[in-house]
Amino acid sequence: MATDTDIPMLEMRGITKRFPGVLANDAVDLTVRSGEVHTLLGENGAGKSTLMKILFGLYQPDEGEIRLNGEAIEVESPSFAISHGIGMIHQHFMLVPTLTVAENVALGTRSTRWPLTDLPVVSRRVEEISEKFGLAIDPSIEVWKLAVGERQRVEIIKALYRDARLLVLDEPTAVLTPQEVEEFFGILNEMRSSGHGLIFISHKLREVVAISDEITVLRNGRVTGHTTPAESDRQQLATMMVGREVSLAPDRPEIEPGDSRLVIRNLVVESDRGTTAVDGLDLDVRAGEIVGIAGVSGNGQRELAEVIAGLRDARAGSSVQVNGVEVVGQGARLSRDAGLAYVPEERMRDGAIGDFTVSENLVLVDHGSEEFSRRGLLRFGMIRSHSQELVDRFNVKTPGLDTTTSSLSGGNIQKLILARELASGPTVLLAAQPTRGVDIGAAEYIHAQIIEQRGAGAAALVVSEDLDELLAIADRIAVMFEGRIIGIVEIEDATRETLGLMMAGIHEGSPA
Amino acid sequence: MSDFFTATVLFSTLAAGIRLSTPFLFAGLGEMIGQKSGVLNLGVEGVMLLSAFFAYWTALSTGSLWLAVLVGMLVGLLMGVVYGLITVVFHAEQGISGIGIFLFGLGFSDLMFQENVGTPKFTSKLPSVDIPLLSDIPHVGVAFFQHSAMTYTAFVMVPLVMILLRRTTFGTNIRAVGENPESADSLGVSVARMRFSAIVIGNTLAGVAGTALVLELGIFQPNLTAGRGFIAIALVYFGAWRAPGVMAGALLYGLVEATVITWKALGIIPRSLSDISAMAPAVITIGALVILARRVKPPAALTQPFSRH
Ligand SMILES: Nc1ncnc2c1ncn2[C@@H]1O[C@H](COP(=O)(O)OP(=O)(O)OP(=O)(O)O)[C@@H](O)[C@H]1O
Ligand SMILES: [Mg+2]
């Protein structure tokens, strides 16, 4: 006789989902028990989000069965999922920025004072939940005023407020700083011990090993394996996921750096809010070296990158030279003409146009050049062959060149942007969070590409919040704190611990 | 000019301004509710014309103003259902659909008028309802407390719409689907139902606006509204998607219009300029719109259809 504990909280059996040209899920099975963190691991486009959207009623499966606590259900809509105790935290935030935290939380729920809202009642429950799970937040504040980590908490509160027992977390940590991840894992542990079932998705293997009880690996829409952190280490997980040996530490040949190609002097930049974001920064990046910029987000990294790329003005007296050309306040075209390639942090906002096709995005910067246009008319043949070559070379997974870019998975959009930027053979490469949300195989590839540019004599500046990434590829790591570089560490001397301390503003090493 | 600056003339101009702003206020509030839900309705003018005609025709043939108001509202509601089907259910492009509604309203009200009425005849007008005691205050009484029930209702609508949008679950849902429909959808709020309701409410108010206009004049003629529906849309931007802002815009427009009328009557504006001066309210309001335009963003999902995969 089966007891309650034998019946898993969730069983998904034989789930299949087809999109035009793509088999996103192919007979996928997934079993989740209460009180467990079950990780879905897989490359970009493996079908993780699709499976979770089916569970949450956002997509309908073409085949397959879902059982919740032993009972077969048909999740026809998100409201059905919510009323059955399923909550989902999406890869992209699902908040209404102009509404307050309490309004966002209460959205779609029954009000005790209907037809009026009952925000005081909601706020009180939000505070209770906050207290229980350690999610500090002010319910009356408008969401657009919150930092990213706080928005994440609102998402969790939203789910808990609806009494979610089974919670899907689709790449919740992609945008969090290391400290925020620590806090976030504290919250997950609370939920786990109170018997919630948690489905966790992340590309960061360190996190997966730290938090998971069970791991299911997906590749090309199929389940390719099951494991636990006890059975598999990071290296083995990476291999299961990609289906071949992946090197987590790329080869970095010794190179003697050449002359400075990117020279920054006395840079002072204002943030959007008018505060000083970059406060007198000096930095040199030489040919044949990769300099990493580490730091907790919001310490001026974004503004620094935008000034170099020509997308933001700096205070008078600031100087940024790309190959000897002054680029401050001259616009993006000049920075590019001076030899800069830029891989932006907000890929969908600054890097690619979602409604354009893959091919259009690949020639977005160069479409005016001799090669791709003559007398103002685009040369489609040339554009197509060039695009096809880049798609093949950079291994961008897309049904075709005419697919709209926004329907690609996050990692593939990133590869597309990188392909375009590196195709021009830049002498200075600026990359911000180049592997955020990107799977381990693609990250390996992107890292190899950056290192190859270094080998070809480019100067590379890589801004990243992922210390593992910087430790793997950089020659030197500069730590930004409150708009300044508080120290530069040679890679031989860099450890997670020293960098972590510097990121918190504690500086012990000697300035380079 | 000195004729204008007498208390009697000033206050009666004020009274006229408030009266003239009534249709703008109804139509503007209606359009605002629709836009808050993410739907742009360019068909306000057409809906106003249809409601105006049918209200007028009802008043003419039955003699009942109440029935006329009811018919005007129902026509607006019906047009709301039509526009909701077109844009929410069939996901048609909002800009084009709205223009279609406008052209239909313009043509059909004209046709119905020619077929069924032909030569303009007067109906009874909306009676003015004097508020006891207050209406007896010299000057002030004339300006504020001797209006039709329609005008009072229009101004009472302002706080009501504020409460609706800010303090009710319905209003919160409307704002959510106008800003981030995916988010609302993921919480089980039906984007289609919310937008449909907002459109029906908005068009009903547009219908009331047309009704108020025609019953204030007591007579219909083809293209009676003469662009008022489009001005109402501009007032939503002017008012930065807030009810008091829309009210301020409607009042500004009404007061400028009333001033021009008074100045013409007093001969301050020469006859030769009377055509040009008719443009003054539009020019001044749009000028103010450009100058005062605060950097307020429209609802983020305005004009964007929503569908799930
Ligand atoms: N709405 C859609 N229309 C068409 N194709 C889609 C749609 N959503 C997903 N796909 C395709 O389905 C496949 C699986 O996508 P999914 O988003 O589930 O991947 P993922 O594993 O979540 O990847 P990532 O790690 O990049 O988030 C991809 O090839 C993607 O392009
Ligand atoms: Mg995904």
Side-chain angles (χ1 to χ4, degrees):
Chain A
M1 206 185 82
T3 62
D4 273 0
T5 46
D6 288 338
I7 299 172
M9 199 169 204
L10 172 74
E11 281 174 283
M12 295 180 87
R13 283 206 209 122
I15 302 288
T16 296
K17 175 72 184 174
R18 298 180 194 90
F19 288 116
V22 187
L23 184 56
N25 284 160
D26 184 5
V28 174
D29 294 336
L30 178 72
T31 304
V32 182
R33 292 170 192 284
S34 83
E36 95 179 8
V37 176
H38 195 123
T39 294
L40 278 183
L41 199 59
E43 295 175 273
N44 295 123
K48 306 178 294 292
S49 297
T50 302
L51 186 67
M52 293 300 104
K53 285 179 181 168
I54 289 171
L55 172 59
F56 195 60
L58 285 164
Y59 294 156
Q60 294 308 311
D62 296 319
E63 283 159 42
E65 185 191 47
I66 301 176
R67 283 176 174 275
L68 197 65
N69 301 315
E71 197 183 317
I73 52 170
E74 256 174 56
V75 193
E76 71 238 6
S77 68
S79 10
F80 182 94
I82 291 167
S83 65
H84 285 72
I86 303 172
M88 177 153 177
I89 294 177
H90 297 265
Q91 194 164 355
H92 308 285
F93 284 138
M94 287 285 195
L95 296 169
V96 184
T98 49
L99 300 189
T100 65
V101 171
E103 282 173 330
N104 266 286
V105 169
L107 208 57
T109 61
R110 199 178 292 276
S111 162
T112 54
R113 287 173 53 211
W114 191 88
L116 297 181
T117 51
D118 56 348
L119 296 180
V121 181
V122 177
S123 300
R124 223 169 305 129
R125 265 210 66 202
V126 167
E127 275 155 13
E128 275 168 34
I129 295 170
S130 306
E131 196 138 322
K132 184 161 170 212
F133 295 97
L135 297 143
I137 205 92
D138 172 5
S140 65
I141 199 163
E142 280 163 346
V143 164
W144 62 267
K145 293 177 182 153
L146 298 178
V148 172
E150 295 171 307
R151 292 185 195 198
Q152 188 70 266
R153 278 180 233 157
V154 180
E155 290 283 22
I156 297 174
I157 292 172
K158 257 165 69 178
L160 293 176
Y161 185 87
R162 290 166 173 70
D163 293 323
R165 299 297 299 161
L166 176 65
L167 199 59
V168 177
L169 304 144
D170 193 352
E171 294 193 39
T173 55
V175 291
L176 300 189
T177 63
Q179 287 88 330
E180 285 172 330
V181 171
E182 289 286 306
E183 289 166 26
F184 180 71
F185 280 180
I187 298 162
L188 295 196
N189 282 326
E190 281 301 321
M191 291 198 275
R192 167 161 50 194
S193 50
S194 63
H196 287 83
L198 301 164
I199 304 177
F200 178 68
I201 299 177
S202 171
H203 291 294
K204 297 182 189 164
L205 296 177
R206 182 181 296 281
E207 297 174 357
V208 171
V209 171
I211 196 76
S212 312
D213 298 305
E214 296 284 332
I215 301 170
T216 294
V217 183
L218 282 179
R219 197 188 316 144
N220 290 330
R222 304 190 67 105
V223 175
T224 55
H226 278 289
T227 185
T228 62
E231 292 164 30
S232 310
D233 63 10
R234 290 204 292 149
Q235 186 64 57
Q236 286 162 319
L237 288 177
T239 308
M240 283 177 81
M241 200 171 138
V242 183
R244 62 177 164 81
E245 199 72 24
V246 178
S247 96
L248 294 176
D251 279 342
R252 240 166 17 99
E254 284 297 321
I255 296 181
E256 197 51 45
D259 298 335
S260 293
R261 290 197 181 275
L262 176 66
V263 179
I264 303 172
R265 289 288 174 270
N266 190 30
L267 184 65
V268 181
V269 188
E270 273 180 15
S271 72
D272 291 336
R273 293 193 213 109
T275 56
T276 306
V278 179
D279 190 8
L281 182 141
D282 299 313
L283 185 67
D284 285 89
V285 186
R286 293 166 294 177
E289 78 168 344
I290 299 172
V291 174
I293 299 270
V296 176
S297 79
N299 275 284
Q301 299 96 316
R302 173 191 298 251
E303 289 80 3
L304 168 67
E306 286 179 356
V307 170
I308 300 172
L311 300 175
R312 183 185 283 274
D313 249 338
R315 194 83 57 79
S318 302
S319 163
V320 174
Q321 295 190 347
V322 173
N323 289 315
V325 180
E326 181 61 53
V327 299
V328 167
Q330 304 290 318
R333 188 82 249 172
L334 187 90
S335 293
R336 287 191 176 279
D337 289 346
L340 179 90
Y342 176 45
V343 180
E345 174 177 348
E346 300 235 356
R347 52 183 85 119
M348 282 322 282
R349 197 191 69 191
D350 302 332
I353 300 176
D355 291 339
F356 277 25
T357 65
V358 166
S359 162
E360 284 169 333
N361 269 305
L362 281 169
V363 295
L364 203 55
V365 178
D366 290 330
H367 64 262
S369 74
E370 273 291 284
E371 197 183 349
F372 303 126
S373 66
R374 191 179 289 149
R375 287 184 225 101
L377 292 180
L378 293 174
R379 301 170 67 180
F380 287 106
M382 295 296 286
I383 291 176
R384 286 197 77 82
S385 60
H386 173 78
S387 306
Q388 190 60 54
E389 188 195 315
L390 287 182
V391 164
D392 294 343
R393 201 174 113 206
F394 285 79
N395 201 8
V396 181
K397 258 187 227 157
T398 168
L401 294 179
D402 297 323
T403 306
T404 46
T405 304
S406 56
S407 78
L408 299 190
S409 79
N412 282 301
I413 294 173
Q414 186 71 340
K415 284 200 241 176
L416 185 153
I417 294 170
L418 202 81
R420 180 186 71 213
E421 294 298 320
L422 296 186
S424 60
T427 49
V428 176
L429 171 64
L430 170 61
Q433 322 292 352
T435 59
R436 175 176 282 174
V438 163
D439 69 54
I440 210 91
E444 177 197 31
Y445 187 77
I446 289 170
H447 289 157
Q449 291 297 323
I450 295 175
I451 290 170
E452 195 183 309
Q453 297 293 320
R454 162 184 178 268
L461 186 63
V462 178
V463 180
S464 178
E465 277 162 30
D466 183 351
L467 283 182
D468 290 326
E469 166 164 273
L470 294 181
L471 288 167
I473 65 170
D475 296 294
R476 297 188 287 149
I477 299 176
V479 179
M480 268 186 94
F481 183 72
E482 295 185 345
R484 297 162 190 267
I485 287 176
I486 74 160
I488 301 184
V489 192
E490 295 292 330
I491 196 68
E492 300 79 47
D493 309 327
T495 62
R496 290 181 63 83
E497 289 68 37
T498 52
L499 292 172
L501 283 175
M502 287 167 79
M503 283 166 70
I506 302 160
H507 177 48
E508 294 176 80
S510 57
Chain B
M1 199 74 201
S2 60
D3 294 347
F4 182 64
F5 289 105
T6 63
T8 313
V9 175
L10 278 178
F11 279 99
S12 64
T13 308
L14 185 57
I18 290 173
R19 196 173 60 241
L20 289 168
S21 67
T22 304
F24 293 115
L25 193 45
F26 276 121
L29 290 175
E31 176 71 16
M32 186 185 88
I33 293 172
Q35 290 200 10
K36 274 287 189 188
S37 80
V39 183
L40 174 71
N41 178 11
L42 293 181
V44 186
E45 177 90 358
V47 176
M48 283 176 73
L49 277 169
L50 286 171
S51 285
F53 171 75
F54 283 101
Y56 166 76
W57 194 22
T58 308
L60 207 58
S61 31
T62 68
S64 163
L65 284 179
W66 284 115
L67 206 57
V69 171
L70 191 69
V71 166
M73 276 178 72
L74 282 177
V75 169
L77 187 143
L78 197 71
M79 291 310 290
V81 171
V82 171
Y83 192 62
L85 283 174
I86 295 174
T87 54
V88 175
V89 179
F90 298 114
H91 301 293
E93 213 279 323
Q94 294 172 8
I96 302 294
S97 321
I99 292 172
I101 296 269
F102 158 60
L103 291 173
F104 169 74
L106 181 67
F108 193 66
S109 61
D110 191 352
L111 178 76
M112 291 299 284
F113 177 74
Q114 306 301 352
E115 290 287 315
N116 299 300
V117 185
T119 49
K121 293 189 263 296
F122 274 99
T123 66
S124 46
K125 296 198 218 175
L126 284 173
S128 93
V129 179
D130 297 357
I131 309 275
L133 300 178
L134 292 174
S135 59
D136 297 333
I137 304 171
H139 300 310
V140 175
V142 178
F144 297 108
F145 303 110
Q146 299 182 18
H147 289 287
S148 71
M150 276 287 193
T151 300
Y152 297 129
T153 309
F155 284 87
V156 169
M157 288 296 295
V158 174
L160 288 184
V161 168
M162 283 170 76
I163 291 169
L164 178 79
L165 287 175
R166 292 263 140 212
R167 301 254 173 263
T168 68
T169 52
F170 179 76
T172 310
N173 289 347
I174 294 274
R175 287 187 289 142
V177 301
E179 285 290 339
N180 191 346
E182 285 79 18
S183 156
D185 181 54
S186 76
L187 295 175
V189 174
S190 165
V191 177
R193 202 176 305 155
M194 283 303 136
R195 290 191 166 171
F196 204 99
S197 320
I199 290 169
V200 170
I201 294 172
N203 277 269
T204 306
L205 288 177
V208 174
T211 309
L213 181 68
V214 79
L215 295 185
E216 199 71 65
L217 295 169
I219 194 154
F220 184 87
Q221 66 184 54
N223 193 23
L224 175 81
T225 49
R228 281 177 174 78
F230 289 103
I231 297 291
I233 298 171
L235 293 180
V236 175
Y237 290 79
F238 177 90
W241 295 271
R242 294 211 179 88
V246 172
M247 181 180 79
L251 277 172
L252 173 70
Y253 201 96
L255 288 173
V256 175
E257 209 177 352
T259 306
V260 169
I261 293 169
T262 312
W263 284 4
K264 266 197 234 167
L266 293 174
I268 296 173
I269 300 174
R271 265 183 196 291
S272 56
L273 288 180
S274 71
D275 286 345
I276 294 178
S277 66
M279 298 187 329
V283 171
I284 290 172
T285 311
I286 296 200
L289 182 81
V290 173
I291 294 162
L292 296 179
R294 276 156 294 167
R295 287 206 283 156
V296 182
K297 287 199 207 112
L302 187 60
T303 75
Q304 287 170 21
F306 175 82
S307 62
R308 226 188 270 155
H309 294 273

